[in-house]
Amino acid sequence: MDTDLVLSIGMVLAVVSLPSLLSAFSEARAPRLSAVSMTVAGGLIIWAFTAKVGGYSLGDLPYVLISVIARYIS
């Protein structure tokens, strides 16, 4: 799998699961599913950062996300 795709999936999964995590903490519930999804998202992001030969910088992240979306839409 392409490291750009893995990084994009990890970033989207982290952003989507963040409201669920915050909601569970604010209502004093155990954040089971959101904690699992954040762990998977973190694993995907770490895997993408370590698998890419040159690595990523913080400025590359928006470009990577836009290029993956453009690649699969067109």
Side-chain angles (χ1 to χ4, degrees):
M1 194 182 284
D2 186 22
T3 57
D4 291 346
L5 179 62
V6 171
L7 181 64
S8 298
I9 291 171
M11 288 190 304
V12 168
L13 188 61
V15 168
V16 168
S17 64
L18 188 63
S20 175
L21 184 72
L22 294 175
S23 173
F25 279 130
S26 69
E27 295 175 359
R29 293 183 287 121
R32 290 181 184 94
L33 184 61
S34 56
V36 169
S37 63
M38 286 296 278
T39 304
V40 169
L44 287 172
I45 291 170
I46 290 171
W47 179 45
F49 269 90
T50 58
K52 176 130 178 170
V53 176
Y56 292 103
S57 68
L58 193 58
D60 292 338
L61 298 182
Y63 172 73
V64 168
L65 189 62
I66 296 297
S67 68
V68 168
I69 290 170
R71 185 177 357 160
Y72 288 103
I73 286 180
S74 62

Short mmCIF file of all heavy atoms in Angstrom, two decimals:
data_model
loop_
_atom_site.label_atom_id
_atom_site.label_comp_id
_atom_site.label_asym_id
_atom_site.label_seq_id
_atom_site.Cartn_x
_atom_site.Cartn_y
_atom_site.Cartn_z
N MET A 1 0.84 -1.17 0.00
CA MET A 1 0.00 0.00 0.00
C MET A 1 0.89 1.24 0.00
O MET A 1 1.96 1.26 0.59
CB MET A 1 -0.92 -0.03 1.22
CG MET A 1 -2.05 0.95 1.14
SD MET A 1 -3.14 1.01 2.57
CE MET A 1 -4.09 -0.45 2.35
N ASP A 2 0.42 2.25 -0.64
CA ASP A 2 1.14 3.51 -0.77
C ASP A 2 1.20 4.22 0.59
O ASP A 2 0.21 4.29 1.32
CB ASP A 2 0.40 4.37 -1.79
CG ASP A 2 1.12 5.65 -2.10
OD1 ASP A 2 2.34 5.72 -1.90
OD2 ASP A 2 0.45 6.58 -2.58
N THR A 3 2.38 4.76 0.93
CA THR A 3 2.52 5.42 2.23
C THR A 3 1.69 6.70 2.31
O THR A 3 1.22 7.05 3.39
CB THR A 3 3.99 5.74 2.52
OG1 THR A 3 4.52 6.55 1.49
CG2 THR A 3 4.79 4.47 2.67
N ASP A 4 1.49 7.37 1.18
CA ASP A 4 0.64 8.56 1.19
C ASP A 4 -0.80 8.19 1.54
O ASP A 4 -1.47 8.89 2.30
CB ASP A 4 0.68 9.27 -0.16
CG ASP A 4 2.01 9.92 -0.44
OD1 ASP A 4 2.82 10.05 0.50
OD2 ASP A 4 2.25 10.30 -1.60
N LEU A 5 -1.29 7.09 0.98
CA LEU A 5 -2.64 6.62 1.28
C LEU A 5 -2.77 6.21 2.74
O LEU A 5 -3.76 6.54 3.40
CB LEU A 5 -3.01 5.47 0.36
CG LEU A 5 -4.39 4.85 0.55
CD1 LEU A 5 -5.47 5.88 0.29
CD2 LEU A 5 -4.55 3.64 -0.35
N VAL A 6 -1.78 5.51 3.27
CA VAL A 6 -1.82 5.08 4.66
C VAL A 6 -1.82 6.29 5.59
O VAL A 6 -2.58 6.34 6.57
CB VAL A 6 -0.62 4.15 4.97
CG1 VAL A 6 -0.52 3.87 6.45
CG2 VAL A 6 -0.74 2.86 4.20
N LEU A 7 -1.01 7.28 5.28
CA LEU A 7 -0.97 8.49 6.09
C LEU A 7 -2.29 9.24 6.02
O LEU A 7 -2.79 9.71 7.05
CB LEU A 7 0.17 9.40 5.62
CG LEU A 7 0.35 10.70 6.39
CD1 LEU A 7 0.74 10.43 7.83
CD2 LEU A 7 1.41 11.56 5.71
N SER A 8 -2.88 9.31 4.86
CA SER A 8 -4.16 10.00 4.71
C SER A 8 -5.27 9.29 5.48
O SER A 8 -6.09 9.93 6.14
CB SER A 8 -4.55 10.10 3.24
OG SER A 8 -3.59 10.85 2.54
N ILE A 9 -5.32 7.97 5.40
CA ILE A 9 -6.32 7.21 6.14
C ILE A 9 -6.13 7.40 7.64
O ILE A 9 -7.10 7.57 8.38
CB ILE A 9 -6.26 5.71 5.76
CG1 ILE A 9 -6.74 5.52 4.32
CG2 ILE A 9 -7.10 4.87 6.71
CD1 ILE A 9 -6.51 4.13 3.77
N GLY A 10 -4.90 7.39 8.09
CA GLY A 10 -4.63 7.59 9.51
C GLY A 10 -5.04 8.97 9.98
O GLY A 10 -5.62 9.11 11.06
N MET A 11 -4.77 10.00 9.18
CA MET A 11 -5.14 11.35 9.57
C MET A 11 -6.66 11.52 9.61
O MET A 11 -7.20 12.11 10.55
CB MET A 11 -4.53 12.38 8.61
CG MET A 11 -3.05 12.55 8.76
SD MET A 11 -2.34 13.95 7.86
CE MET A 11 -2.85 13.67 6.18
N VAL A 12 -7.35 10.98 8.62
CA VAL A 12 -8.81 11.10 8.58
C VAL A 12 -9.43 10.31 9.74
O VAL A 12 -10.36 10.79 10.40
CB VAL A 12 -9.36 10.63 7.22
CG1 VAL A 12 -10.86 10.47 7.24
CG2 VAL A 12 -8.94 11.60 6.13
N LEU A 13 -8.92 9.13 10.01
CA LEU A 13 -9.45 8.33 11.11
C LEU A 13 -9.23 9.01 12.45
O LEU A 13 -10.11 8.98 13.32
CB LEU A 13 -8.80 6.94 11.10
CG LEU A 13 -9.35 5.91 12.07
CD1 LEU A 13 -10.81 5.63 11.77
CD2 LEU A 13 -8.54 4.64 11.98
N ALA A 14 -8.11 9.65 12.62
CA ALA A 14 -7.84 10.37 13.88
C ALA A 14 -8.78 11.55 14.04
O ALA A 14 -9.30 11.79 15.13
CB ALA A 14 -6.39 10.84 13.90
N VAL A 15 -9.03 12.29 12.97
CA VAL A 15 -9.91 13.45 13.05
C VAL A 15 -11.36 13.01 13.29
O VAL A 15 -12.08 13.64 14.07
CB VAL A 15 -9.80 14.30 11.76
CG1 VAL A 15 -10.90 15.33 11.67
CG2 VAL A 15 -8.44 14.96 11.71
N VAL A 16 -11.78 11.92 12.68
CA VAL A 16 -13.15 11.45 12.84
C VAL A 16 -13.39 10.89 14.24
O VAL A 16 -14.47 11.05 14.81
CB VAL A 16 -13.48 10.40 11.75
CG1 VAL A 16 -14.76 9.67 12.03
CG2 VAL A 16 -13.54 11.06 10.39
N SER A 17 -12.41 10.24 14.83
CA SER A 17 -12.61 9.63 16.14
C SER A 17 -12.38 10.59 17.30
O SER A 17 -12.74 10.28 18.43
CB SER A 17 -11.70 8.42 16.29
OG SER A 17 -10.35 8.79 16.27
N LEU A 18 -11.83 11.75 17.06
CA LEU A 18 -11.58 12.72 18.12
C LEU A 18 -12.86 13.22 18.80
O LEU A 18 -12.90 13.27 20.04
CB LEU A 18 -10.76 13.89 17.58
CG LEU A 18 -10.25 14.88 18.61
CD1 LEU A 18 -9.28 14.20 19.56
CD2 LEU A 18 -9.57 16.03 17.92
N PRO A 19 -13.93 13.57 18.08
CA PRO A 19 -15.16 13.98 18.78
C PRO A 19 -15.75 12.89 19.65
O PRO A 19 -16.27 13.16 20.73
CB PRO A 19 -16.12 14.35 17.65
CG PRO A 19 -15.26 14.68 16.50
CD PRO A 19 -14.05 13.79 16.63
N SER A 20 -15.69 11.66 19.20
CA SER A 20 -16.19 10.55 20.01
C SER A 20 -15.38 10.38 21.28
O SER A 20 -15.93 10.10 22.35
CB SER A 20 -16.15 9.26 19.18
OG SER A 20 -16.52 8.17 19.98
N LEU A 21 -14.08 10.53 21.18
CA LEU A 21 -13.21 10.44 22.34
C LEU A 21 -13.50 11.55 23.35
O LEU A 21 -13.64 11.30 24.55
CB LEU A 21 -11.74 10.50 21.90
CG LEU A 21 -10.68 10.32 22.95
CD1 LEU A 21 -10.64 8.87 23.40
CD2 LEU A 21 -9.33 10.73 22.41
N LEU A 22 -13.65 12.77 22.88
CA LEU A 22 -13.96 13.89 23.75
C LEU A 22 -15.34 13.76 24.38
O LEU A 22 -15.55 14.11 25.54
CB LEU A 22 -13.84 15.20 22.99
CG LEU A 22 -12.43 15.58 22.53
CD1 LEU A 22 -12.47 16.84 21.69
CD2 LEU A 22 -11.51 15.74 23.71
N SER A 23 -16.30 13.25 23.62
CA SER A 23 -17.64 13.05 24.15
C SER A 23 -17.66 12.00 25.26
O SER A 23 -18.34 12.18 26.27
CB SER A 23 -18.58 12.62 23.02
OG SER A 23 -19.84 12.26 23.53
N ALA A 24 -16.93 10.94 25.07
CA ALA A 24 -16.88 9.90 26.10
C ALA A 24 -16.22 10.41 27.37
O ALA A 24 -16.69 10.12 28.48
CB ALA A 24 -16.12 8.69 25.57
N PHE A 25 -15.17 11.20 27.24
CA PHE A 25 -14.52 11.75 28.43
C PHE A 25 -15.42 12.76 29.14
O PHE A 25 -15.45 12.81 30.36
CB PHE A 25 -13.19 12.40 28.07
CG PHE A 25 -12.07 11.43 27.95
CD1 PHE A 25 -11.25 11.45 26.84
CD2 PHE A 25 -11.81 10.49 28.93
CE1 PHE A 25 -10.20 10.56 26.70
CE2 PHE A 25 -10.76 9.59 28.82
CZ PHE A 25 -9.96 9.62 27.70
N SER A 26 -16.15 13.57 28.39
CA SER A 26 -16.99 14.59 29.02
C SER A 26 -18.20 13.98 29.73
O SER A 26 -18.71 14.56 30.68
CB SER A 26 -17.44 15.61 27.99
OG SER A 26 -18.35 15.03 27.09
N GLU A 27 -18.67 12.82 29.26
CA GLU A 27 -19.81 12.16 29.89
C GLU A 27 -19.38 11.08 30.87
O GLU A 27 -20.21 10.30 31.33
CB GLU A 27 -20.71 11.56 28.82
CG GLU A 27 -21.35 12.61 27.92
CD GLU A 27 -22.14 12.01 26.80
OE1 GLU A 27 -22.18 10.76 26.68
OE2 GLU A 27 -22.73 12.78 26.02
N ALA A 28 -18.11 11.01 31.18
CA ALA A 28 -17.54 10.05 32.14
C ALA A 28 -17.81 8.60 31.74
O ALA A 28 -18.09 7.74 32.57
CB ALA A 28 -18.05 10.33 33.55
N ARG A 29 -17.76 8.33 30.43
CA ARG A 29 -17.88 6.97 29.92
C ARG A 29 -16.51 6.47 29.50
O ARG A 29 -15.60 7.26 29.28
CB ARG A 29 -18.82 6.91 28.71
CG ARG A 29 -20.25 7.22 29.00
CD ARG A 29 -21.12 7.07 27.76
NE ARG A 29 -20.87 8.18 26.82
CZ ARG A 29 -20.43 8.02 25.57
NH1 ARG A 29 -20.19 6.82 25.09
NH2 ARG A 29 -20.24 9.06 24.79
N ALA A 30 -16.38 5.17 29.38
CA ALA A 30 -15.12 4.60 28.89
C ALA A 30 -15.07 4.75 27.37
O ALA A 30 -15.98 4.30 26.67
CB ALA A 30 -15.04 3.13 29.27
N PRO A 31 -14.02 5.35 26.85
CA PRO A 31 -13.92 5.57 25.39
C PRO A 31 -13.35 4.34 24.68
O PRO A 31 -12.25 4.37 24.16
CB PRO A 31 -12.99 6.76 25.30
CG PRO A 31 -12.11 6.63 26.49
CD PRO A 31 -12.96 6.03 27.57
N ARG A 32 -14.09 3.26 24.66
CA ARG A 32 -13.56 2.00 24.12
C ARG A 32 -13.31 2.07 22.62
O ARG A 32 -12.19 1.88 22.17
CB ARG A 32 -14.52 0.87 24.45
CG ARG A 32 -14.52 0.52 25.91
CD ARG A 32 -15.47 -0.63 26.20
NE ARG A 32 -15.55 -0.88 27.61
CZ ARG A 32 -16.46 -0.36 28.41
NH1 ARG A 32 -17.37 0.46 27.92
NH2 ARG A 32 -16.47 -0.63 29.70
N LEU A 33 -14.35 2.29 21.84
CA LEU A 33 -14.21 2.27 20.39
C LEU A 33 -13.36 3.43 19.89
O LEU A 33 -12.53 3.25 18.98
CB LEU A 33 -15.59 2.31 19.73
CG LEU A 33 -15.60 2.20 18.21
CD1 LEU A 33 -14.98 0.89 17.76
CD2 LEU A 33 -16.99 2.34 17.68
N SER A 34 -13.52 4.59 20.48
CA SER A 34 -12.73 5.73 20.03
C SER A 34 -11.26 5.56 20.40
O SER A 34 -10.38 6.00 19.65
CB SER A 34 -13.28 7.03 20.61
OG SER A 34 -13.32 6.96 22.01
N ALA A 35 -10.98 4.90 21.51
CA ALA A 35 -9.58 4.65 21.87
C ALA A 35 -8.95 3.65 20.91
O ALA A 35 -7.78 3.80 20.52
CB ALA A 35 -9.49 4.13 23.30
N VAL A 36 -9.71 2.66 20.50
CA VAL A 36 -9.20 1.68 19.53
C VAL A 36 -8.95 2.35 18.19
O VAL A 36 -7.92 2.14 17.55
CB VAL A 36 -10.17 0.50 19.39
CG1 VAL A 36 -9.81 -0.38 18.20
CG2 VAL A 36 -10.20 -0.33 20.66
N SER A 37 -9.88 3.20 17.75
CA SER A 37 -9.71 3.86 16.46
C SER A 37 -8.56 4.87 16.50
O SER A 37 -7.84 5.02 15.51
CB SER A 37 -11.01 4.53 16.02
OG SER A 37 -11.37 5.54 16.92
N MET A 38 -8.35 5.54 17.62
CA MET A 38 -7.21 6.44 17.74
C MET A 38 -5.89 5.66 17.74
O MET A 38 -4.90 6.12 17.18
CB MET A 38 -7.31 7.29 19.01
CG MET A 38 -8.33 8.39 18.93
SD MET A 38 -7.97 9.64 17.71
CE MET A 38 -6.83 10.64 18.62
N THR A 39 -5.90 4.49 18.35
CA THR A 39 -4.70 3.65 18.35
C THR A 39 -4.38 3.17 16.93
O THR A 39 -3.22 3.18 16.51
CB THR A 39 -4.89 2.45 19.29
OG1 THR A 39 -5.21 2.93 20.59
CG2 THR A 39 -3.65 1.59 19.34
N VAL A 40 -5.40 2.75 16.20
CA VAL A 40 -5.20 2.33 14.82
C VAL A 40 -4.71 3.50 13.97
O VAL A 40 -3.80 3.35 13.15
CB VAL A 40 -6.50 1.72 14.25
CG1 VAL A 40 -6.40 1.51 12.75
CG2 VAL A 40 -6.82 0.42 14.95
N ALA A 41 -5.31 4.67 14.17
CA ALA A 41 -4.89 5.86 13.42
C ALA A 41 -3.45 6.21 13.73
O ALA A 41 -2.66 6.51 12.83
CB ALA A 41 -5.80 7.04 13.75
N GLY A 42 -3.07 6.16 14.99
CA GLY A 42 -1.68 6.43 15.36
C GLY A 42 -0.72 5.42 14.76
O GLY A 42 0.37 5.77 14.31
N GLY A 43 -1.13 4.16 14.74
CA GLY A 43 -0.30 3.13 14.13
C GLY A 43 -0.11 3.33 12.65
O GLY A 43 0.99 3.16 12.11
N LEU A 44 -1.18 3.72 11.96
CA LEU A 44 -1.08 3.98 10.52
C LEU A 44 -0.18 5.18 10.24
O LEU A 44 0.63 5.15 9.31
CB LEU A 44 -2.48 4.23 9.93
CG LEU A 44 -3.38 3.02 9.79
CD1 LEU A 44 -4.78 3.45 9.38
CD2 LEU A 44 -2.83 2.05 8.79
N ILE A 45 -0.30 6.21 11.05
CA ILE A 45 0.53 7.41 10.85
C ILE A 45 2.00 7.09 11.11
O ILE A 45 2.88 7.47 10.34
CB ILE A 45 0.02 8.56 11.74
CG1 ILE A 45 -1.35 9.04 11.23
CG2 ILE A 45 1.01 9.71 11.76
CD1 ILE A 45 -2.06 9.98 12.16
N ILE A 46 2.26 6.36 12.18
CA ILE A 46 3.65 5.99 12.49
C ILE A 46 4.22 5.09 11.41
O ILE A 46 5.38 5.24 11.00
CB ILE A 46 3.73 5.34 13.89
CG1 ILE A 46 3.48 6.40 14.96
CG2 ILE A 46 5.07 4.67 14.11
CD1 ILE A 46 3.32 5.83 16.34
N TRP A 47 3.41 4.15 10.93
CA TRP A 47 3.88 3.25 9.87
C TRP A 47 4.22 4.03 8.60
O TRP A 47 5.23 3.78 7.95
CB TRP A 47 2.84 2.18 9.59
CG TRP A 47 3.23 1.22 8.51
CD1 TRP A 47 4.44 0.61 8.35
CD2 TRP A 47 2.41 0.77 7.45
NE1 TRP A 47 4.40 -0.19 7.24
CE2 TRP A 47 3.17 -0.12 6.67
CE3 TRP A 47 1.10 1.02 7.08
CZ2 TRP A 47 2.65 -0.74 5.55
CZ3 TRP A 47 0.59 0.38 5.96
CH2 TRP A 47 1.37 -0.48 5.21
N ALA A 48 3.37 5.01 8.25
CA ALA A 48 3.63 5.81 7.05
C ALA A 48 4.89 6.64 7.21
O ALA A 48 5.68 6.76 6.28
CB ALA A 48 2.43 6.70 6.76
N PHE A 49 5.10 7.22 8.40
CA PHE A 49 6.30 8.03 8.62
C PHE A 49 7.57 7.19 8.57
O PHE A 49 8.60 7.65 8.09
CB PHE A 49 6.21 8.75 9.98
CG PHE A 49 5.58 10.11 9.89
CD1 PHE A 49 4.22 10.26 10.04
CD2 PHE A 49 6.34 11.23 9.67
CE1 PHE A 49 3.62 11.50 9.96
CE2 PHE A 49 5.77 12.49 9.59
CZ PHE A 49 4.40 12.61 9.73
N THR A 50 7.51 5.96 9.07
CA THR A 50 8.71 5.12 9.07
C THR A 50 8.93 4.41 7.74
O THR A 50 10.08 4.09 7.41
CB THR A 50 8.65 4.08 10.20
OG1 THR A 50 7.49 3.27 10.05
CG2 THR A 50 8.64 4.75 11.56
N ALA A 51 7.89 4.16 6.97
CA ALA A 51 8.02 3.42 5.72
C ALA A 51 8.48 4.31 4.56
O ALA A 51 9.08 3.82 3.61
CB ALA A 51 6.71 2.74 5.36
N LYS A 52 8.20 5.59 4.63
CA LYS A 52 8.61 6.49 3.54
C LYS A 52 10.11 6.74 3.65
O LYS A 52 10.63 7.05 4.72
CB LYS A 52 7.86 7.82 3.64
CG LYS A 52 8.31 8.80 2.61
CD LYS A 52 7.20 9.39 1.87
CE LYS A 52 7.79 10.40 0.90
NZ LYS A 52 6.89 10.88 -0.01
N VAL A 53 10.80 6.61 2.56
CA VAL A 53 12.25 6.70 2.54
C VAL A 53 12.74 8.08 2.97
O VAL A 53 13.56 8.22 3.85
CB VAL A 53 12.80 6.33 1.14
CG1 VAL A 53 14.29 6.52 1.09
CG2 VAL A 53 12.40 4.92 0.77
N GLY A 54 12.21 9.13 2.38
CA GLY A 54 12.66 10.48 2.73
C GLY A 54 11.98 11.04 3.96
O GLY A 54 12.42 12.03 4.52
N GLY A 55 10.89 10.43 4.37
CA GLY A 55 10.13 10.92 5.50
C GLY A 55 9.18 12.04 5.10
O GLY A 55 9.14 12.46 3.95
N TYR A 56 8.39 12.49 6.04
CA TYR A 56 7.46 13.58 5.82
C TYR A 56 7.83 14.73 6.74
O TYR A 56 8.34 14.53 7.83
CB TYR A 56 6.02 13.16 6.16
CG TYR A 56 5.43 12.14 5.23
CD1 TYR A 56 5.33 10.81 5.59
CD2 TYR A 56 4.94 12.52 3.99
CE1 TYR A 56 4.77 9.87 4.75
CE2 TYR A 56 4.38 11.59 3.14
CZ TYR A 56 4.29 10.27 3.52
OH TYR A 56 3.74 9.36 2.67
N SER A 57 7.55 15.93 6.30
CA SER A 57 7.65 17.09 7.18
C SER A 57 6.23 17.59 7.45
O SER A 57 5.28 17.16 6.80
CB SER A 57 8.50 18.19 6.55
OG SER A 57 7.84 18.73 5.44
N LEU A 58 6.09 18.46 8.40
CA LEU A 58 4.78 18.97 8.76
C LEU A 58 4.14 19.73 7.59
O LEU A 58 2.93 19.68 7.40
CB LEU A 58 4.89 19.88 9.98
CG LEU A 58 3.59 20.26 10.67
CD1 LEU A 58 2.84 19.02 11.13
CD2 LEU A 58 3.85 21.17 11.82
N GLY A 59 4.93 20.37 6.79
CA GLY A 59 4.42 21.09 5.64
C GLY A 59 3.95 20.20 4.51
O GLY A 59 3.19 20.63 3.64
N ASP A 60 4.38 18.95 4.50
CA ASP A 60 3.97 18.01 3.45
C ASP A 60 2.58 17.42 3.67
O ASP A 60 1.98 16.90 2.74
CB ASP A 60 4.96 16.84 3.37
CG ASP A 60 6.31 17.26 2.85
OD1 ASP A 60 6.40 18.31 2.18
OD2 ASP A 60 7.29 16.54 3.13
N LEU A 61 2.07 17.47 4.89
CA LEU A 61 0.83 16.77 5.21
C LEU A 61 -0.38 17.26 4.43
O LEU A 61 -1.14 16.43 3.91
CB LEU A 61 0.57 16.84 6.72
CG LEU A 61 1.64 16.17 7.58
CD1 LEU A 61 1.25 16.25 9.05
CD2 LEU A 61 1.89 14.75 7.17
N PRO A 62 -0.61 18.58 4.28
CA PRO A 62 -1.76 19.00 3.45
C PRO A 62 -1.61 18.58 1.99
O PRO A 62 -2.58 18.16 1.36
CB PRO A 62 -1.77 20.52 3.58
CG PRO A 62 -1.01 20.82 4.80
CD PRO A 62 -0.01 19.73 4.95
N TYR A 63 -0.40 18.67 1.46
CA TYR A 63 -0.16 18.26 0.08
C TYR A 63 -0.45 16.77 -0.11
O TYR A 63 -1.04 16.37 -1.11
CB TYR A 63 1.27 18.58 -0.33
CG TYR A 63 1.65 18.02 -1.67
CD1 TYR A 63 1.16 18.57 -2.84
CD2 TYR A 63 2.47 16.90 -1.77
CE1 TYR A 63 1.47 18.04 -4.07
CE2 TYR A 63 2.80 16.36 -2.99
CZ TYR A 63 2.29 16.93 -4.15
OH TYR A 63 2.60 16.40 -5.36
N VAL A 64 -0.02 15.96 0.84
CA VAL A 64 -0.25 14.51 0.75
C VAL A 64 -1.74 14.21 0.76
O VAL A 64 -2.23 13.42 -0.06
CB VAL A 64 0.47 13.79 1.91
CG1 VAL A 64 0.03 12.35 2.02
CG2 VAL A 64 1.98 13.87 1.74
N LEU A 65 -2.48 14.84 1.66
CA LEU A 65 -3.92 14.59 1.75
C LEU A 65 -4.64 15.03 0.48
O LEU A 65 -5.47 14.28 -0.05
CB LEU A 65 -4.49 15.31 2.97
CG LEU A 65 -5.93 14.99 3.33
CD1 LEU A 65 -6.09 13.52 3.67
CD2 LEU A 65 -6.37 15.85 4.50
N ILE A 66 -4.31 16.19 -0.03
CA ILE A 66 -4.95 16.68 -1.26
C ILE A 66 -4.58 15.81 -2.46
O ILE A 66 -5.42 15.51 -3.30
CB ILE A 66 -4.57 18.15 -1.51
CG1 ILE A 66 -5.10 19.04 -0.40
CG2 ILE A 66 -5.06 18.63 -2.87
CD1 ILE A 66 -6.59 19.07 -0.27
N SER A 67 -3.33 15.37 -2.54
CA SER A 67 -2.93 14.54 -3.68
C SER A 67 -3.59 13.17 -3.66
O SER A 67 -3.96 12.64 -4.71
CB SER A 67 -1.40 14.41 -3.73
OG SER A 67 -0.94 13.65 -2.65
N VAL A 68 -3.79 12.61 -2.49
CA VAL A 68 -4.48 11.31 -2.40
C VAL A 68 -5.95 11.48 -2.77
O VAL A 68 -6.50 10.66 -3.51
CB VAL A 68 -4.33 10.71 -0.97
CG1 VAL A 68 -5.26 9.55 -0.77
CG2 VAL A 68 -2.90 10.28 -0.76
N ILE A 69 -6.59 12.54 -2.29
CA ILE A 69 -7.99 12.77 -2.64
C ILE A 69 -8.12 13.00 -4.14
O ILE A 69 -9.01 12.42 -4.79
CB ILE A 69 -8.54 13.97 -1.85
CG1 ILE A 69 -8.69 13.62 -0.38
CG2 ILE A 69 -9.90 14.41 -2.41
CD1 ILE A 69 -8.99 14.78 0.52
N ALA A 70 -7.22 13.77 -4.72
CA ALA A 70 -7.28 14.04 -6.16
C ALA A 70 -7.02 12.79 -6.98
O ALA A 70 -7.62 12.59 -8.03
CB ALA A 70 -6.27 15.13 -6.52
N ARG A 71 -6.13 11.93 -6.49
CA ARG A 71 -5.81 10.71 -7.22
C ARG A 71 -7.00 9.76 -7.29
O ARG A 71 -7.23 9.12 -8.31
CB ARG A 71 -4.64 10.01 -6.52
CG ARG A 71 -4.14 8.80 -7.23
CD ARG A 71 -2.95 8.15 -6.57
NE ARG A 71 -2.46 8.86 -5.41
CZ ARG A 71 -1.71 8.32 -4.48
NH1 ARG A 71 -1.38 7.06 -4.56
NH2 ARG A 71 -1.29 9.01 -3.44
N TYR A 72 -7.78 9.67 -6.22
CA TYR A 72 -8.88 8.72 -6.20
C TYR A 72 -10.20 9.30 -6.67
O TYR A 72 -11.12 8.55 -6.96
CB TYR A 72 -9.02 8.11 -4.80
CG TYR A 72 -7.88 7.15 -4.52
CD1 TYR A 72 -6.82 7.51 -3.72
CD2 TYR A 72 -7.86 5.90 -5.13
CE1 TYR A 72 -5.77 6.64 -3.50
CE2 TYR A 72 -6.82 5.04 -4.93
CZ TYR A 72 -5.78 5.42 -4.10
OH TYR A 72 -4.73 4.55 -3.90
N ILE A 73 -10.31 10.61 -6.77
CA ILE A 73 -11.52 11.20 -7.32
C ILE A 73 -11.48 11.21 -8.84
O ILE A 73 -12.46 10.91 -9.50
CB ILE A 73 -11.73 12.63 -6.77
CG1 ILE A 73 -12.21 12.54 -5.33
CG2 ILE A 73 -12.75 13.40 -7.60
CD1 ILE A 73 -12.44 13.87 -4.69
N SER A 74 -10.33 11.54 -9.39
CA SER A 74 -10.25 11.65 -10.86
C SER A 74 -9.95 10.34 -11.53
O SER A 74 -9.79 9.32 -11.06
CB SER A 74 -9.19 12.65 -11.26
OG SER A 74 -7.92 12.23 -10.81
#
